[in-house]
Amino acid sequence: VIHENICTKKAVSELVAEARRVYEQSFGGDGPQVAVCAPGRVNLIGEHIDYNQGFVLPMALPMVTVVVGSRTSGQSASIITAAKDVEEPRRVDFDLPNDKAPLSPGKPSWANYVKGVVQHYRAPPVPGFRAVIASSVPLGGGLSSSASLEVAMYTFLQQLKPDDGDKVAKAVACQKAEHTHAGVPCGIMDQFVSVLGREAHALLIDCRSLEATPVPLSDPGLVILISNSNVKHSLTGSEYPSRRRQCEEAAAILEKASLRDATLKDLEDAKSRLDDETYRRARHVIEEIERTAQAAEALKKGAYKEFGKLMVESHNSLRDLYEVSCKELDELVSAAVEVEGVFGSRMTGGGFGGCTVTLLQAEAIDRTMQHIQERYSGSPTFYITTPSQGARVMSL
Ligand code: ADP
Ligand code: MG
């Protein structure tokens, strides 16, 4: 039974072939000239920290969003998504923006991720194009299909008309697209790792300086397992901005530019001036930043037990202090850590559904998935993953 639930990743070449077929059926002509892809991500530790300017430790996934397409002579763009589970229509045509007429968000909502990237492309004006999108990142599952779409789209535009090639600025432009066009006030983590992810490495990102240190993660005795709860609670949309606001409020009361600059002592000293909820939010952030720095050190030493312990502490803090977990994620984590050979497990991404990430000994993989499946009240999907490369151009 388990094997039905293991997601064997579609090879990137298969996705390119799929996108190409759609392109040829829809646009005819000579077929696409360019193919690019950008990965989704899983965050190992450092949750709800990027917008607090702290440390995060994600890795890029083998699952990617592919964009194939061509430049056209017109002043408009046509995009098609091969994704089944998005708002119709799945083809959108729009005029390209100029100084006088910026590109506004609209319907269908999925196209806003593309429009935002076109609007914020760093070498305007964007030339006319046709493109098809195909993805193996689950949509809305907490593995950042949104950033992978933005970064793939940006990488596609770079092939039509190069910008200066600054990768950090590229990630920031894609983040801006999500802010202005998708209406999600996200931090920089997802776009950053989708651009700069490295095969066989996690990235320790300092979200204040925007510097990243690759941390080797390619031990054959170790497995990184993602378990998708396959639920997404409707809270996701409203709770994220509210957490962000609470953190800003706490930083303001502590008289710091961000919670990155605050210590636990600062927090305790200001406790009487914070309401209980704001206090708990800030405490999660301050402790999680420290935990993430420790976890990166542990990973460098191959101290997986210590790393796993920090993962569980992170999960408990997200559940009790930051209050972004849910019954399904708690069940998946509790089940995972009961298995011998599991180092640690935690929710990953924004919360209220989506996925957990579990670090375990390779020999424990079958019994771990079996046990999680038996204990989980819903129906999980498993992804056995390895750290992969960031956005790249592919041959057609
Ligand atoms: P996550 O980033 O965790 O997958 P989000 O809610 O942030 O979840 O982003 C999911 C949204 O991104 C989808 O609802 C859709 O609008 C858009 N999206 C992502 N991938 C694609 C795709 N391949 N085609 C069309 N839209 C996509
Ligand atoms: Mg997203």
Side-chain angles (χ1 to χ4, degrees), residues 61-391:
L61 290 172
M63 289 95 100
V64 297
T65 298
V66 158
V67 173
V68 306
S70 302
R71 188 175 173 148
T72 60
S73 54
Q75 277 307 298
S76 65
S78 302
I79 48 168
I80 296 174
T81 179
K84 304 277 176 292
D85 38 2
V86 291
E87 188 184 340
E88 298 282 343
R90 291 192 284 139
R91 173 175 174 157
V92 176
D93 299 272
F94 58 90
D95 289 330
L96 292 162
N98 56 49
D99 289 344
K100 281 165 235 128
L103 194 49
S104 329
K107 292 273 171 194
S109 52
W110 66 266
N112 292 331
Y113 294 85
V114 174
K115 290 177 179 172
V117 170
V118 169
Q119 179 64 44
H120 295 294
Y121 189 62
R122 295 176 57 256
V126 168
F129 66 88
R130 290 169 169 161
V132 174
I133 301 155
S135 185
S136 56
V137 188
L139 269 61
L143 302 181
S144 210
S145 67
S146 58
S148 73
L149 172 54
E150 291 148 10
V151 173
M153 202 57 219
Y154 196 104
T155 308
F156 171 72
L157 296 180
Q158 286 177 305
Q159 307 319 302
L160 305 187
K161 184 187 181 198
D163 67 352
D164 63 9
D166 182 327
K167 290 189 172 182
V168 172
K170 171 177 172 177
V172 170
C174 291
Q175 178 196 23
K176 234 190 255 171
E178 187 144 345
H179 289 182
T180 60
H181 284 65
V184 181
C186 59
I188 190 65
M189 170 171 70
D190 302 357
Q191 293 80 8
F192 194 103
V193 69
S194 185
V195 174
L196 287 120
R198 245 173 78 177
E199 206 169 321
H201 292 77
L203 284 191
L204 178 67
I205 306 169
D206 178 336
C207 297
R208 184 165 60 188
S209 68
L210 298 184
E211 281 162 351
T213 314
V215 182
L217 180 56
S218 65
D219 184 335
L222 192 73
V223 163
I224 300 148
L225 173 69
I226 295 172
S227 308
N228 194 339
S229 68
N230 289 315
V231 299
K232 186 177 185 182
H233 296 294
S234 54
L235 286 170
T236 325
S238 56
E239 295 287 308
Y240 187 93
S242 102
R243 291 299 179 286
R244 220 189 140 137
R245 265 196 312 277
Q246 288 176 317
C247 291
E248 282 160 12
E249 204 183 295
I253 293 172
L254 298 179
E255 296 176 22
K256 305 286 181 190
S258 74
L259 289 177
R260 166 73 180 271
D261 302 310
T263 62
L264 272 186
K265 180 166 186 310
D266 295 330
L267 183 65
E268 294 309 321
D269 290 348
K271 195 169 178 181
S272 61
R273 286 179 283 138
L274 294 160
D275 67 68
D276 179 57
E277 207 175 275
T278 312
Y279 167 81
R280 285 184 290 123
R281 305 296 187 247
R283 183 149 157 215
H284 164 75
V285 171
I286 295 168
E287 291 179 340
E288 181 84 351
I289 292 173
E290 177 57 28
R291 258 195 298 274
T292 303
Q294 285 174 13
E297 285 309 309
L299 197 58
K300 281 180 204 161
K301 290 186 299 201
Y304 303 136
K305 268 198 179 153
E306 188 189 340
F307 192 93
K309 190 171 149 270
L310 294 164
M311 289 175 85
V312 173
E313 284 175 22
S314 166
H315 181 79
N316 293 345
S317 176
L318 290 158
R319 183 191 61 202
D320 302 333
L321 298 177
Y322 217 66
E323 295 179 287
V324 291
S325 187
C326 60
K327 166 180 147 283
E328 292 85 354
L329 293 171
D330 294 342
E331 273 178 20
L332 290 170
V333 168
S334 304
V337 297
E338 281 167 2
V339 181
E340 166 137 27
V342 167
F343 295 115
S345 182
R346 56 183 290 279
M347 57 156 278
T348 184
F352 303 108
C355 295
T356 63
V357 58
T358 303
L359 208 69
L360 62 144
Q361 279 170 9
E363 59 85 22
I365 185 66
D366 288 339
R367 63 175 182 267
T368 302
M369 290 190 295
Q370 187 78 50
H371 187 73
I372 292 174
Q373 175 142 316
E374 280 165 17
R375 287 284 313 273
Y376 181 46
S377 59
S379 177
T381 308
F382 297 112
Y383 314 86
I384 298 168
T385 61
T386 46
S388 306
Q389 210 193 320

